[in-house]
C-alpha cells in the first residue's frame, strides 16, 4: 500500500541513521561535545562534558572484578583506545569544558555492579569529582 505523502508502508518504518561517519567513536564523541558546547555558548549557557569512568578499561582489577570482567564477551579495546586518545590529545587543555573522569576508579575496587553502573559509594565519588569542576560557578 502506498500513501501519496508518506510513500510505501514498509519504507515508513525504516530507521535512518544518517550519513555514516568516518571519524570513529572518539571523533564522533568529540564532535558531539563540541557541538553541544557551541550551542550552549550561543545561548549563554555553561556547558560541562565529563568522560565517565569505564570498568572495561580500568587500570587494575581485584578478584571479584576479574570474574565480572570475564563474563563479558566482545572487543572492548575501544574503551582503552578512547582513554588513550583523551590523554594523547590533552583533551582537558584543548577543550576546557571537558573533564576526564575515566580514571577515577582505576585503584578503587568493588564500586561497579556491572560494566557501566556503580554502587552508591561510586556515585558519591563521581558526584564529588563533578562538584570539584563546577563548584566555582555554582558557589557564586
Amino acid at each position: 500500500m502506498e500513501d501519496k505523502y508518506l510513500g510505501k508502508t514498509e519504507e515508513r518504518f525504516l530507521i535512518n541513521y544518517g550519513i555514516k561517519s568516518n571519524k570513529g567513536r572518539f571523533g564522533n564523541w568529540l564532535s558531539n561535545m563540541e557541538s553541544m558546547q557551541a550551542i550552549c555558548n550561543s545561548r549563554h549557557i555553561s556547558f560541562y562534558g565529563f568522560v565517565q569512568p569505564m570498568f572495561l578499561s580500568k587500570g587494575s582489577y581485584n578478584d571479584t572484578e576479574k570474574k565480572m570482567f570475564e563474563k563479558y564477551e566482545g572487543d572492548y579495546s575501544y574503551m582503552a583506545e578512547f582513554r588513550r586518545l583523551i590523554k594523547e590529545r590533552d583533551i582537558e587543555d584543548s577543550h576546557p569544558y571537558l573533564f576526564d573522569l575515566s580514571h577515577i576508579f582505576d585503584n578503587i575496587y568493588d564500586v561497579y555492579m556491572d560494566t557501566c553502573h556503580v554502587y552508591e559509594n561510586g556515585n558519591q565519588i563521581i558526584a564529588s569529582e563533578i562538584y570539584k569542576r563546577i563548584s566555582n560557578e555554582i558557589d557564586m
Side-chain angles (χ1 to χ4, degrees), residues 1-132:
M1 182 173 142
E2 186 165 344
D3 181 292
K4 111 180 192 185
Y5 299 104
L6 299 175
K8 294 181 181 174
T9 303
E10 53 277 357
E11 289 174 352
R12 286 187 267 160
F13 297 104
L14 294 176
I15 296 172
N16 183 344
Y17 294 106
I19 299 170
K20 187 166 176 79
S21 170
N22 62 356
K23 294 179 183 178
R25 289 178 192 216
F26 181 81
N28 286 332
W29 171 81
L30 186 56
S31 178
N32 288 338
M33 293 291 120
E34 291 168 341
S35 295
M36 288 187 282
Q37 193 276 336
I39 291 167
C40 288
N41 189 43
S42 74
R43 296 176 182 172
H44 309 289
I45 300 168
S46 297
F47 175 78
Y48 298 93
F50 296 91
V51 180
Q52 72 182 46
M54 299 179 235
F55 175 76
L56 293 167
S57 68
K58 212 177 148 187
S60 61
Y61 301 96
N62 67 13
D63 289 340
T64 304
E65 292 172 330
K66 283 178 187 172
K67 288 177 187 168
M68 188 186 329
F69 185 88
E70 291 166 2
K71 283 192 330 188
Y72 294 93
E73 294 181 21
D75 180 12
Y76 297 102
S77 61
Y78 70 89
M79 291 184 180
E81 176 73 359
F82 200 94
R83 285 181 64 172
R84 185 186 66 76
L85 289 169
I86 287 168
K87 287 196 182 325
E88 183 180 282
R89 296 185 184 185
D90 259 343
I91 262 338
E92 290 185 357
D93 288 336
S94 62
H95 296 73
Y97 50 88
L98 295 179
F99 301 93
D100 180 15
L101 304 183
S102 64
H103 62 282
I104 65 173
F105 297 138
D106 280 359
N107 297 308
I108 300 174
Y109 303 99
D110 299 320
V111 292
Y112 285 96
M113 62 178 73
D114 58 31
T115 60
C116 183
H117 302 96
V118 296
Y119 293 108
E120 184 59 30
N121 61 328
N123 285 321
Q124 291 295 325
I125 294 167
I126 293 169
S128 175
E129 291 295 322
I130 290 172
Y131 180 76
K132 286 179 196 176

